[in-house]
PDB file of all heavy atoms in Angstrom:
ATOM      1  N   TYR I 156      17.757  -1.973  -9.838  1.00 91.00           N
ATOM      2  CA  TYR I 156      18.243  -1.526  -8.534  1.00 91.00           C
ATOM      3  C   TYR I 156      17.200  -1.658  -7.426  1.00 91.00           C
ATOM      4  O   TYR I 156      17.531  -1.565  -6.255  1.00 91.00           O
ATOM      5  CB  TYR I 156      18.781  -0.094  -8.588  1.00 91.00           C
ATOM      6  CG  TYR I 156      17.784   0.966  -9.016  1.00 91.00           C
ATOM      7  CD1 TYR I 156      16.826   1.447  -8.133  1.00 91.00           C
ATOM      8  CD2 TYR I 156      17.828   1.488 -10.302  1.00 91.00           C
ATOM      9  CE1 TYR I 156      15.918   2.413  -8.536  1.00 91.00           C
ATOM     10  CE2 TYR I 156      16.932   2.458 -10.699  1.00 91.00           C
ATOM     11  CZ  TYR I 156      15.977   2.922  -9.809  1.00 91.00           C
ATOM     12  OH  TYR I 156      15.078   3.876 -10.203  1.00 91.00           O
ATOM     13  N   GLN I 157      15.955  -1.888  -7.788  1.00 92.00           N
ATOM     14  CA  GLN I 157      14.931  -2.075  -6.758  1.00 92.00           C
ATOM     15  C   GLN I 157      15.100  -3.447  -6.120  1.00 92.00           C
ATOM     16  O   GLN I 157      15.385  -4.436  -6.802  1.00 92.00           O
ATOM     17  CB  GLN I 157      13.538  -1.998  -7.390  1.00 92.00           C
ATOM     18  CG  GLN I 157      13.146  -0.642  -7.832  1.00 92.00           C
ATOM     19  CD  GLN I 157      12.140  -0.017  -6.895  1.00 92.00           C
ATOM     20  OE1 GLN I 157      11.619  -0.649  -5.987  1.00 92.00           O
ATOM     21  NE2 GLN I 157      11.871   1.238  -7.125  1.00 92.00           N
ATOM     22  N   ARG I 158      14.897  -3.498  -4.834  1.00 92.00           N
ATOM     23  CA  ARG I 158      14.921  -4.816  -4.188  1.00 92.00           C
ATOM     24  C   ARG I 158      13.722  -5.605  -4.673  1.00 92.00           C
ATOM     25  O   ARG I 158      12.738  -5.051  -5.160  1.00 92.00           O
ATOM     26  CB  ARG I 158      14.912  -4.684  -2.662  1.00 92.00           C
ATOM     27  CG  ARG I 158      13.589  -4.210  -2.079  1.00 92.00           C
ATOM     28  CD  ARG I 158      13.711  -4.076  -0.567  1.00 92.00           C
ATOM     29  NE  ARG I 158      12.461  -3.568  -0.037  1.00 92.00           N
ATOM     30  CZ  ARG I 158      11.754  -4.170   0.905  1.00 92.00           C
ATOM     31  NH1 ARG I 158      12.171  -5.299   1.423  1.00 92.00           N
ATOM     32  NH2 ARG I 158      10.646  -3.639   1.350  1.00 92.00           N
ATOM     33  N   GLY I 159      13.788  -6.899  -4.525  1.00 94.00           N
ATOM     34  CA  GLY I 159      12.677  -7.755  -4.938  1.00 94.00           C
ATOM     35  C   GLY I 159      11.466  -7.573  -4.041  1.00 94.00           C
ATOM     36  O   GLY I 159      11.521  -6.908  -3.003  1.00 94.00           O
ATOM     37  N   TYR I 160      10.370  -8.190  -4.442  1.00 96.00           N
ATOM     38  CA  TYR I 160       9.142  -8.111  -3.656  1.00 96.00           C
ATOM     39  C   TYR I 160       9.338  -8.883  -2.359  1.00 96.00           C
ATOM     40  O   TYR I 160       9.732 -10.050  -2.374  1.00 96.00           O
ATOM     41  CB  TYR I 160       7.961  -8.688  -4.449  1.00 96.00           C
ATOM     42  CG  TYR I 160       6.660  -8.554  -3.705  1.00 96.00           C
ATOM     43  CD1 TYR I 160       6.034  -7.322  -3.601  1.00 96.00           C
ATOM     44  CD2 TYR I 160       6.077  -9.641  -3.067  1.00 96.00           C
ATOM     45  CE1 TYR I 160       4.856  -7.176  -2.893  1.00 96.00           C
ATOM     46  CE2 TYR I 160       4.901  -9.503  -2.368  1.00 96.00           C
ATOM     47  CZ  TYR I 160       4.293  -8.272  -2.276  1.00 96.00           C
ATOM     48  OH  TYR I 160       3.120  -8.135  -1.572  1.00 96.00           O
ATOM     49  N   ARG I 161       9.078  -8.222  -1.218  1.00 97.00           N
ATOM     50  CA  ARG I 161       9.347  -8.841   0.066  1.00 97.00           C
ATOM     51  C   ARG I 161       8.228  -8.679   1.098  1.00 97.00           C
ATOM     52  O   ARG I 161       8.466  -8.891   2.293  1.00 97.00           O
ATOM     53  CB  ARG I 161      10.654  -8.297   0.675  1.00 97.00           C
ATOM     54  CG  ARG I 161      11.890  -8.670  -0.108  1.00 97.00           C
ATOM     55  CD  ARG I 161      12.102 -10.178  -0.144  1.00 97.00           C
ATOM     56  NE  ARG I 161      13.302 -10.535  -0.854  1.00 97.00           N
ATOM     57  CZ  ARG I 161      13.371 -10.785  -2.148  1.00 97.00           C
ATOM     58  NH1 ARG I 161      12.304 -10.720  -2.894  1.00 97.00           N
ATOM     59  NH2 ARG I 161      14.514 -11.121  -2.697  1.00 97.00           N
ATOM     60  N   TRP I 162       7.020  -8.328   0.691  1.00 97.00           N
ATOM     61  CA  TRP I 162       5.965  -8.217   1.688  1.00 97.00           C
ATOM     62  C   TRP I 162       5.579  -9.591   2.192  1.00 97.00           C
ATOM     63  O   TRP I 162       5.469 -10.554   1.429  1.00 97.00           O
ATOM     64  CB  TRP I 162       4.751  -7.497   1.098  1.00 97.00           C
ATOM     65  CG  TRP I 162       4.824  -6.012   1.287  1.00 97.00           C
ATOM     66  CD1 TRP I 162       5.940  -5.242   1.350  1.00 97.00           C
ATOM     67  CD2 TRP I 162       3.720  -5.118   1.421  1.00 97.00           C
ATOM     68  NE1 TRP I 162       5.606  -3.921   1.513  1.00 97.00           N
ATOM     69  CE2 TRP I 162       4.250  -3.823   1.561  1.00 97.00           C
ATOM     70  CE3 TRP I 162       2.347  -5.280   1.421  1.00 97.00           C
ATOM     71  CZ2 TRP I 162       3.444  -2.709   1.709  1.00 97.00           C
ATOM     72  CZ3 TRP I 162       1.550  -4.177   1.571  1.00 97.00           C
ATOM     73  CH2 TRP I 162       2.099  -2.903   1.726  1.00 97.00           C
ATOM     74  N   THR I 163       5.352  -9.653   3.498  1.00 97.00           N
ATOM     75  CA  THR I 163       4.934 -10.898   4.130  1.00 97.00           C
ATOM     76  C   THR I 163       3.420 -10.879   4.353  1.00 97.00           C
ATOM     77  O   THR I 163       2.752  -9.865   4.120  1.00 97.00           O
ATOM     78  CB  THR I 163       5.626 -11.076   5.494  1.00 97.00           C
ATOM     79  OG1 THR I 163       5.154 -10.063   6.387  1.00 97.00           O
ATOM     80  CG2 THR I 163       7.151 -11.014   5.355  1.00 97.00           C
ATOM     81  N   LYS I 164       2.932 -11.977   4.831  1.00 97.00           N
ATOM     82  CA  LYS I 164       1.510 -12.102   5.151  1.00 97.00           C
ATOM     83  C   LYS I 164       1.057 -10.978   6.084  1.00 97.00           C
ATOM     84  O   LYS I 164      -0.024 -10.418   5.914  1.00 97.00           O
ATOM     85  CB  LYS I 164       1.267 -13.467   5.807  1.00 97.00           C
ATOM     86  CG  LYS I 164      -0.134 -13.708   6.268  1.00 97.00           C
ATOM     87  CD  LYS I 164      -0.250 -15.080   6.937  1.00 97.00           C
ATOM     88  CE  LYS I 164      -1.646 -15.295   7.464  1.00 97.00           C
ATOM     89  NZ  LYS I 164      -1.787 -16.597   8.125  1.00 97.00           N
ATOM     90  N   ASP I 165       1.885 -10.620   7.049  1.00 97.00           N
ATOM     91  CA  ASP I 165       1.515  -9.582   8.012  1.00 97.00           C
ATOM     92  C   ASP I 165       1.282  -8.231   7.343  1.00 97.00           C
ATOM     93  O   ASP I 165       0.305  -7.545   7.635  1.00 97.00           O
ATOM     94  CB  ASP I 165       2.595  -9.442   9.089  1.00 97.00           C
ATOM     95  CG  ASP I 165       2.676 -10.653  10.001  1.00 97.00           C
ATOM     96  OD1 ASP I 165       1.694 -11.429  10.084  1.00 97.00           O
ATOM     97  OD2 ASP I 165       3.733 -10.833  10.637  1.00 97.00           O
ATOM     98  N   GLU I 166       2.188  -7.825   6.450  1.00 98.00           N
ATOM     99  CA  GLU I 166       2.020  -6.534   5.763  1.00 98.00           C
ATOM    100  C   GLU I 166       0.798  -6.546   4.854  1.00 98.00           C
ATOM    101  O   GLU I 166       0.042  -5.576   4.793  1.00 98.00           O
ATOM    102  CB  GLU I 166       3.267  -6.171   4.938  1.00 98.00           C
ATOM    103  CG  GLU I 166       4.423  -5.687   5.752  1.00 98.00           C
ATOM    104  CD  GLU I 166       5.591  -6.657   5.778  1.00 98.00           C
ATOM    105  OE1 GLU I 166       5.482  -7.781   5.259  1.00 98.00           O
ATOM    106  OE2 GLU I 166       6.610  -6.268   6.350  1.00 98.00           O
ATOM    107  N   VAL I 167       0.598  -7.657   4.153  1.00 98.00           N
ATOM    108  CA  VAL I 167      -0.550  -7.767   3.239  1.00 98.00           C
ATOM    109  C   VAL I 167      -1.849  -7.703   4.031  1.00 98.00           C
ATOM    110  O   VAL I 167      -2.768  -6.951   3.680  1.00 98.00           O
ATOM    111  CB  VAL I 167      -0.463  -9.057   2.398  1.00 98.00           C
ATOM    112  CG1 VAL I 167      -1.740  -9.255   1.577  1.00 98.00           C
ATOM    113  CG2 VAL I 167       0.762  -9.029   1.495  1.00 98.00           C
ATOM    114  N   GLN I 168      -1.939  -8.455   5.111  1.00 97.00           N
ATOM    115  CA  GLN I 168      -3.161  -8.455   5.920  1.00 97.00           C
ATOM    116  C   GLN I 168      -3.391  -7.091   6.573  1.00 97.00           C
ATOM    117  O   GLN I 168      -4.538  -6.652   6.672  1.00 97.00           O
ATOM    118  CB  GLN I 168      -3.111  -9.559   6.969  1.00 97.00           C
ATOM    119  CG  GLN I 168      -3.303 -10.920   6.356  1.00 97.00           C
ATOM    120  CD  GLN I 168      -3.290 -12.036   7.387  1.00 97.00           C
ATOM    121  OE1 GLN I 168      -2.717 -11.912   8.470  1.00 97.00           O
ATOM    122  NE2 GLN I 168      -3.919 -13.145   7.039  1.00 97.00           N
ATOM    123  N   ALA I 169      -2.337  -6.427   7.008  1.00 97.00           N
ATOM    124  CA  ALA I 169      -2.494  -5.093   7.599  1.00 97.00           C
ATOM    125  C   ALA I 169      -3.065  -4.122   6.570  1.00 97.00           C
ATOM    126  O   ALA I 169      -3.955  -3.323   6.882  1.00 97.00           O
ATOM    127  CB  ALA I 169      -1.159  -4.579   8.142  1.00 97.00           C
ATOM    128  N   LEU I 170      -2.567  -4.176   5.333  1.00 98.00           N
ATOM    129  CA  LEU I 170      -3.103  -3.318   4.282  1.00 98.00           C
ATOM    130  C   LEU I 170      -4.563  -3.650   4.009  1.00 98.00           C
ATOM    131  O   LEU I 170      -5.407  -2.751   3.915  1.00 98.00           O
ATOM    132  CB  LEU I 170      -2.278  -3.447   2.998  1.00 98.00           C
ATOM    133  CG  LEU I 170      -2.785  -2.635   1.804  1.00 98.00           C
ATOM    134  CD1 LEU I 170      -2.822  -1.134   2.118  1.00 98.00           C
ATOM    135  CD2 LEU I 170      -1.924  -2.914   0.567  1.00 98.00           C
ATOM    136  N   LEU I 171      -4.883  -4.924   3.902  1.00 98.00           N
ATOM    137  CA  LEU I 171      -6.273  -5.324   3.661  1.00 98.00           C
ATOM    138  C   LEU I 171      -7.186  -4.863   4.797  1.00 98.00           C
ATOM    139  O   LEU I 171      -8.282  -4.343   4.539  1.00 98.00           O
ATOM    140  CB  LEU I 171      -6.369  -6.847   3.496  1.00 98.00           C
ATOM    141  CG  LEU I 171      -5.779  -7.408   2.206  1.00 98.00           C
ATOM    142  CD1 LEU I 171      -5.595  -8.921   2.324  1.00 98.00           C
ATOM    143  CD2 LEU I 171      -6.651  -7.054   1.015  1.00 98.00           C
ATOM    144  N   ASP I 172      -6.749  -5.038   6.032  1.00 97.00           N
ATOM    145  CA  ASP I 172      -7.542  -4.589   7.181  1.00 97.00           C
ATOM    146  C   ASP I 172      -7.768  -3.080   7.143  1.00 97.00           C
ATOM    147  O   ASP I 172      -8.882  -2.601   7.387  1.00 97.00           O
ATOM    148  CB  ASP I 172      -6.857  -4.973   8.504  1.00 97.00           C
ATOM    149  CG  ASP I 172      -6.904  -6.470   8.790  1.00 97.00           C
ATOM    150  OD1 ASP I 172      -7.734  -7.179   8.207  1.00 97.00           O
ATOM    151  OD2 ASP I 172      -6.067  -6.919   9.612  1.00 97.00           O
ATOM    152  N   ASP I 173      -6.710  -2.330   6.833  1.00 97.00           N
ATOM    153  CA  ASP I 173      -6.824  -0.869   6.750  1.00 97.00           C
ATOM    154  C   ASP I 173      -7.787  -0.449   5.647  1.00 97.00           C
ATOM    155  O   ASP I 173      -8.626   0.433   5.840  1.00 97.00           O
ATOM    156  CB  ASP I 173      -5.458  -0.226   6.485  1.00 97.00           C
ATOM    157  CG  ASP I 173      -4.563  -0.197   7.705  1.00 97.00           C
ATOM    158  OD1 ASP I 173      -5.036  -0.525   8.817  1.00 97.00           O
ATOM    159  OD2 ASP I 173      -3.382   0.149   7.545  1.00 97.00           O
ATOM    160  N   LEU I 174      -7.644  -1.064   4.475  1.00 97.00           N
ATOM    161  CA  LEU I 174      -8.520  -0.714   3.348  1.00 97.00           C
ATOM    162  C   LEU I 174      -9.973  -1.041   3.665  1.00 97.00           C
ATOM    163  O   LEU I 174     -10.879  -0.253   3.369  1.00 97.00           O
ATOM    164  CB  LEU I 174      -8.073  -1.439   2.076  1.00 97.00           C
ATOM    165  CG  LEU I 174      -6.765  -0.974   1.461  1.00 97.00           C
ATOM    166  CD1 LEU I 174      -6.338  -1.919   0.341  1.00 97.00           C
ATOM    167  CD2 LEU I 174      -6.871   0.463   0.958  1.00 97.00           C
ATOM    168  N   TYR I 175     -10.187  -2.198   4.277  1.00 97.00           N
ATOM    169  CA  TYR I 175     -11.567  -2.581   4.591  1.00 97.00           C
ATOM    170  C   TYR I 175     -12.164  -1.652   5.660  1.00 97.00           C
ATOM    171  O   TYR I 175     -13.322  -1.241   5.556  1.00 97.00           O
ATOM    172  CB  TYR I 175     -11.644  -4.040   5.036  1.00 97.00           C
ATOM    173  CG  TYR I 175     -13.069  -4.480   5.207  1.00 97.00           C
ATOM    174  CD1 TYR I 175     -13.915  -4.590   4.105  1.00 97.00           C
ATOM    175  CD2 TYR I 175     -13.575  -4.774   6.463  1.00 97.00           C
ATOM    176  CE1 TYR I 175     -15.232  -4.974   4.253  1.00 97.00           C
ATOM    177  CE2 TYR I 175     -14.891  -5.169   6.619  1.00 97.00           C
ATOM    178  CZ  TYR I 175     -15.717  -5.259   5.520  1.00 97.00           C
ATOM    179  OH  TYR I 175     -17.032  -5.641   5.678  1.00 97.00           O
ATOM    180  N   ALA I 176     -11.389  -1.289   6.660  1.00 96.00           N
ATOM    181  CA  ALA I 176     -11.869  -0.346   7.682  1.00 96.00           C
ATOM    182  C   ALA I 176     -12.202   0.998   7.046  1.00 96.00           C
ATOM    183  O   ALA I 176     -13.175   1.657   7.425  1.00 96.00           O
ATOM    184  CB  ALA I 176     -10.829  -0.177   8.785  1.00 96.00           C
ATOM    185  N   PHE I 177     -11.410   1.406   6.057  1.00 97.00           N
ATOM    186  CA  PHE I 177     -11.641   2.665   5.358  1.00 97.00           C
ATOM    187  C   PHE I 177     -12.973   2.658   4.612  1.00 97.00           C
ATOM    188  O   PHE I 177     -13.599   3.709   4.448  1.00 97.00           O
ATOM    189  CB  PHE I 177     -10.481   2.942   4.389  1.00 97.00           C
ATOM    190  CG  PHE I 177     -10.698   4.136   3.511  1.00 97.00           C
ATOM    191  CD1 PHE I 177     -10.693   5.422   4.047  1.00 97.00           C
ATOM    192  CD2 PHE I 177     -10.900   3.984   2.154  1.00 97.00           C
ATOM    193  CE1 PHE I 177     -10.892   6.532   3.232  1.00 97.00           C
ATOM    194  CE2 PHE I 177     -11.095   5.084   1.331  1.00 97.00           C
ATOM    195  CZ  PHE I 177     -11.096   6.361   1.870  1.00 97.00           C
ATOM    196  N   CYS I 178     -13.443   1.500   4.188  1.00 95.00           N
ATOM    197  CA  CYS I 178     -14.727   1.408   3.472  1.00 95.00           C
ATOM    198  C   CYS I 178     -15.875   2.028   4.271  1.00 95.00           C
ATOM    199  O   CYS I 178     -16.779   2.622   3.692  1.00 95.00           O
ATOM    200  CB  CYS I 178     -15.067  -0.050   3.145  1.00 95.00           C
ATOM    201  SG  CYS I 178     -14.060  -0.771   1.849  1.00 95.00           S
ATOM    202  N   SER I 179     -15.831   1.909   5.588  1.00 93.00           N
ATOM    203  CA  SER I 179     -16.903   2.449   6.419  1.00 93.00           C
ATOM    204  C   SER I 179     -16.466   3.673   7.223  1.00 93.00           C
ATOM    205  O   SER I 179     -17.202   4.183   8.053  1.00 93.00           O
ATOM    206  CB  SER I 179     -17.434   1.366   7.367  1.00 93.00           C
ATOM    207  OG  SER I 179     -16.393   0.882   8.182  1.00 93.00           O
ATOM    208  N   ASP I 180     -15.271   4.148   6.963  1.00 92.00           N
ATOM    209  CA  ASP I 180     -14.721   5.320   7.630  1.00 92.00           C
ATOM    210  C   ASP I 180     -15.357   6.592   7.069  1.00 92.00           C
ATOM    211  O   ASP I 180     -15.861   6.608   5.949  1.00 92.00           O
ATOM    212  CB  ASP I 180     -13.197   5.335   7.394  1.00 92.00           C
ATOM    213  CG  ASP I 180     -12.471   6.302   8.292  1.00 92.00           C
ATOM    214  OD1 ASP I 180     -12.458   7.488   7.947  1.00 92.00           O
ATOM    215  OD2 ASP I 180     -11.904   5.861   9.296  1.00 92.00           O
ATOM    216  N   ALA I 181     -15.296   7.670   7.821  1.00 91.00           N
ATOM    217  CA  ALA I 181     -15.871   8.947   7.370  1.00 91.00           C
ATOM    218  C   ALA I 181     -14.988   9.662   6.351  1.00 91.00           C
ATOM    219  O   ALA I 181     -15.465  10.512   5.610  1.00 91.00           O
ATOM    220  CB  ALA I 181     -16.102   9.866   8.572  1.00 91.00           C
ATOM    221  N   ASP I 182     -13.708   9.319   6.303  1.00 92.00           N
ATOM    222  CA  ASP I 182     -12.797   9.980   5.370  1.00 92.00           C
ATOM    223  C   ASP I 182     -13.097   9.585   3.927  1.00 92.00           C
ATOM    224  O   ASP I 182     -13.662   8.527   3.668  1.00 92.00           O
ATOM    225  CB  ASP I 182     -11.344   9.621   5.689  1.00 92.00           C
ATOM    226  CG  ASP I 182     -10.903  10.184   7.036  1.00 92.00           C
ATOM    227  OD1 ASP I 182     -11.403  11.248   7.427  1.00 92.00           O
ATOM    228  OD2 ASP I 182     -10.059   9.538   7.683  1.00 92.00           O
ATOM    229  N   ASN I 183     -12.670  10.438   2.983  1.00 95.00           N
ATOM    230  CA  ASN I 183     -12.892  10.163   1.566  1.00 95.00           C
ATOM    231  C   ASN I 183     -11.651   9.681   0.843  1.00 95.00           C
ATOM    232  O   ASN I 183     -11.746   9.134  -0.244  1.00 95.00           O
ATOM    233  CB  ASN I 183     -13.418  11.419   0.853  1.00 95.00           C
ATOM    234  CG  ASN I 183     -14.824  11.744   1.284  1.00 95.00           C
ATOM    235  OD1 ASN I 183     -15.598  10.866   1.605  1.00 95.00           O
ATOM    236  ND2 ASN I 183     -15.142  13.013   1.299  1.00 95.00           N
ATOM    237  N   ILE I 184     -10.464   9.907   1.438  1.00 95.00           N
ATOM    238  CA  ILE I 184      -9.221   9.521   0.770  1.00 95.00           C
ATOM    239  C   ILE I 184      -8.353   8.694   1.713  1.00 95.00           C
ATOM    240  O   ILE I 184      -8.122   9.066   2.857  1.00 95.00           O
ATOM    241  CB  ILE I 184      -8.436  10.757   0.275  1.00 95.00           C
ATOM    242  CG1 ILE I 184      -9.236  11.454  -0.818  1.00 95.00           C
ATOM    243  CG2 ILE I 184      -7.058  10.368  -0.234  1.00 95.00           C
ATOM    244  CD1 ILE I 184      -8.561  12.647  -1.441  1.00 95.00           C
ATOM    245  N   TYR I 185      -7.880   7.573   1.200  1.00 97.00           N
ATOM    246  CA  TYR I 185      -6.927   6.725   1.903  1.00 97.00           C
ATOM    247  C   TYR I 185      -5.603   6.850   1.146  1.00 97.00           C
ATOM    248  O   TYR I 185      -5.532   6.547  -0.043  1.00 97.00           O
ATOM    249  CB  TYR I 185      -7.397   5.270   1.908  1.00 97.00           C
ATOM    250  CG  TYR I 185      -6.457   4.336   2.633  1.00 97.00           C
ATOM    251  CD1 TYR I 185      -6.664   4.038   3.974  1.00 97.00           C
ATOM    252  CD2 TYR I 185      -5.375   3.749   1.986  1.00 97.00           C
ATOM    253  CE1 TYR I 185      -5.805   3.184   4.656  1.00 97.00           C
ATOM    254  CE2 TYR I 185      -4.512   2.891   2.653  1.00 97.00           C
ATOM    255  CZ  TYR I 185      -4.738   2.617   3.987  1.00 97.00           C
ATOM    256  OH  TYR I 185      -3.890   1.773   4.653  1.00 97.00           O
ATOM    257  N   CYS I 186      -4.565   7.288   1.828  1.00 96.00           N
ATOM    258  CA  CYS I 186      -3.282   7.557   1.188  1.00 96.00           C
ATOM    259  C   CYS I 186      -2.308   6.397   1.410  1.00 96.00           C
ATOM    260  O   CYS I 186      -2.100   5.963   2.536  1.00 96.00           O
ATOM    261  CB  CYS I 186      -2.696   8.854   1.736  1.00 96.00           C
ATOM    262  SG  CYS I 186      -1.197   9.309   0.897  1.00 96.00           S
ATOM    263  N   LEU I 187      -1.716   5.941   0.320  1.00 94.00           N
ATOM    264  CA  LEU I 187      -0.799   4.806   0.342  1.00 94.00           C
ATOM    265  C   LEU I 187       0.675   5.183   0.388  1.00 94.00           C
ATOM    266  O   LEU I 187       1.521   4.341   0.144  1.00 94.00           O
ATOM    267  CB  LEU I 187      -1.017   3.953  -0.910  1.00 94.00           C
ATOM    268  CG  LEU I 187      -2.310   3.177  -0.937  1.00 94.00           C
ATOM    269  CD1 LEU I 187      -2.612   2.712  -2.348  1.00 94.00           C
ATOM    270  CD2 LEU I 187      -2.231   1.997   0.001  1.00 94.00           C
ATOM    271  N   GLN I 188       0.995   6.415   0.628  1.00 89.00           N
ATOM    272  CA  GLN I 188       2.380   6.872   0.635  1.00 89.00           C
ATOM    273  C   GLN I 188       2.856   7.116  -0.790  1.00 89.00           C
ATOM    274  O   GLN I 188       2.117   6.955  -1.741  1.00 89.00           O
ATOM    275  CB  GLN I 188       3.293   5.905   1.389  1.00 89.00           C
ATOM    276  CG  GLN I 188       2.909   5.680   2.838  1.00 89.00           C
ATOM    277  CD  GLN I 188       2.881   6.953   3.659  1.00 89.00           C
ATOM    278  OE1 GLN I 188       3.693   7.824   3.508  1.00 89.00           O
ATOM    279  NE2 GLN I 188       1.916   7.043   4.562  1.00 89.00           N
ATOM    280  N   PRO I 189       4.119   7.479  -0.957  1.00 94.00           N
ATOM    281  CA  PRO I 189       4.594   7.910  -2.277  1.00 94.00           C
ATOM    282  C   PRO I 189       4.732   6.796  -3.308  1.00 94.00           C
ATOM    283  O   PRO I 189       5.065   5.661  -2.988  1.00 94.00           O
ATOM    284  CB  PRO I 189       5.973   8.500  -1.990  1.00 94.00           C
ATOM    285  CG  PRO I 189       5.988   8.803  -0.542  1.00 94.00           C
ATOM    286  CD  PRO I 189       5.093   7.787   0.098  1.00 94.00           C
ATOM    287  N   LEU I 190       4.474   7.181  -4.531  1.00 96.00           N
ATOM    288  CA  LEU I 190       4.821   6.399  -5.710  1.00 96.00           C
ATOM    289  C   LEU I 190       5.657   7.348  -6.556  1.00 96.00           C
ATOM    290  O   LEU I 190       5.152   8.350  -7.066  1.00 96.00           O
ATOM    291  CB  LEU I 190       3.566   5.949  -6.473  1.00 96.00           C
ATOM    292  CG  LEU I 190       3.806   5.113  -7.727  1.00 96.00           C
ATOM    293  CD1 LEU I 190       4.474   3.777  -7.370  1.00 96.00           C
ATOM    294  CD2 LEU I 190       2.495   4.857  -8.458  1.00 96.00           C
ATOM    295  N   VAL I 191       6.958   7.068  -6.622  1.00 95.00           N
ATOM    296  CA  VAL I 191       7.876   7.938  -7.354  1.00 95.00           C
ATOM    297  C   VAL I 191       8.096   7.331  -8.729  1.00 95.00           C
ATOM    298  O   VAL I 191       8.519   6.166  -8.845  1.00 95.00           O
ATOM    299  CB  VAL I 191       9.215   8.107  -6.591  1.00 95.00           C
ATOM    300  CG1 VAL I 191      10.151   9.029  -7.353  1.00 95.00           C
ATOM    301  CG2 VAL I 191       8.960   8.635  -5.179  1.00 95.00           C
ATOM    302  N   LEU I 192       7.806   8.129  -9.762  1.00 96.00           N
ATOM    303  CA  LEU I 192       7.860   7.649 -11.140  1.00 96.00           C
ATOM    304  C   LEU I 192       8.839   8.477 -11.966  1.00 96.00           C
ATOM    305  O   LEU I 192       9.015   9.666 -11.719  1.00 96.00           O
ATOM    306  CB  LEU I 192       6.475   7.741 -11.784  1.00 96.00           C
ATOM    307  CG  LEU I 192       5.345   7.007 -11.077  1.00 96.00           C
ATOM    308  CD1 LEU I 192       4.012   7.338 -11.726  1.00 96.00           C
ATOM    309  CD2 LEU I 192       5.595   5.507 -11.079  1.00 96.00           C
ATOM    310  N   GLU I 193       9.406   7.826 -12.953  1.00 96.00           N
ATOM    311  CA  GLU I 193      10.201   8.518 -13.952  1.00 96.00           C
ATOM    312  C   GLU I 193       9.593   8.182 -15.311  1.00 96.00           C
ATOM    313  O   GLU I 193       9.539   7.016 -15.705  1.00 96.00           O
ATOM    314  CB  GLU I 193      11.657   8.052 -13.929  1.00 96.00           C
ATOM    315  CG  GLU I 193      12.491   8.674 -15.032  1.00 96.00           C
ATOM    316  CD  GLU I 193      13.879   8.060 -15.169  1.00 96.00           C
ATOM    317  OE1 GLU I 193      14.206   7.096 -14.449  1.00 96.00           O
ATOM    318  OE2 GLU I 193      14.625   8.541 -16.025  1.00 96.00           O
ATOM    319  N   LYS I 194       9.112   9.199 -16.006  1.00 94.00           N
ATOM    320  CA  LYS I 194       8.571   9.019 -17.355  1.00 94.00           C
ATOM    321  C   LYS I 194       9.725   9.219 -18.326  1.00 94.00           C
ATOM    322  O   LYS I 194      10.200  10.335 -18.494  1.00 94.00           O
ATOM    323  CB  LYS I 194       7.462  10.033 -17.622  1.00 94.00           C
ATOM    324  CG  LYS I 194       6.278   9.879 -16.722  1.00 94.00           C
ATOM    325  CD  LYS I 194       5.208   9.138 -17.443  1.00 94.00           C
ATOM    326  CE  LYS I 194       3.955   9.168 -16.598  1.00 94.00           C
ATOM    327  NZ  LYS I 194       2.777   9.196 -17.379  1.00 94.00           N
ATOM    328  N   ARG I 195      10.173   8.157 -18.939  1.00 93.00           N
ATOM    329  CA  ARG I 195      11.341   8.231 -19.827  1.00 93.00           C
ATOM    330  C   ARG I 195      10.943   8.658 -21.239  1.00 93.00           C
ATOM    331  O   ARG I 195       9.800   8.492 -21.657  1.00 93.00           O
ATOM    332  CB  ARG I 195      12.040   6.885 -19.865  1.00 93.00           C
ATOM    333  CG  ARG I 195      12.660   6.545 -18.522  1.00 93.00           C
ATOM    334  CD  ARG I 195      13.664   5.460 -18.648  1.00 93.00           C
ATOM    335  NE  ARG I 195      14.286   5.211 -17.357  1.00 93.00           N
ATOM    336  CZ  ARG I 195      14.863   4.079 -17.035  1.00 93.00           C
ATOM    337  NH1 ARG I 195      14.920   3.082 -17.894  1.00 93.00           N
ATOM    338  NH2 ARG I 195      15.413   3.931 -15.860  1.00 93.00           N
TER     339      ARG I 195
END
């Protein structure tokens, strides 16, 4: 039921830019939003 993988170059580069900026940021945690899991 999950849609297929649909990230474009723009989303990937935005994530990479954010992660790299976080490397020198004062914060200790970078949050990626929810990961909802079902342990069967």
Side-chain angles (χ1 to χ4, degrees):
Y156 60 78
Q157 289 255 352
R158 71 182 177 124
Y160 183 74
R161 294 297 182 270
W162 270 30
T163 66
K164 176 182 177 181
D165 292 339
E166 284 111 354
V167 173
Q168 287 181 335
L170 178 59
L171 289 165
D172 289 341
D173 284 352
L174 290 171
Y175 186 67
F177 174 69
C178 288
S179 59
D180 194 278
D182 294 329
N183 290 329
I184 294 183
Y185 180 94
C186 185
L187 289 163
Q188 301 302 322
L190 180 64
V191 181
L192 303 173
E193 175 189 3
K194 297 260 188 147
R195 293 197 177 157

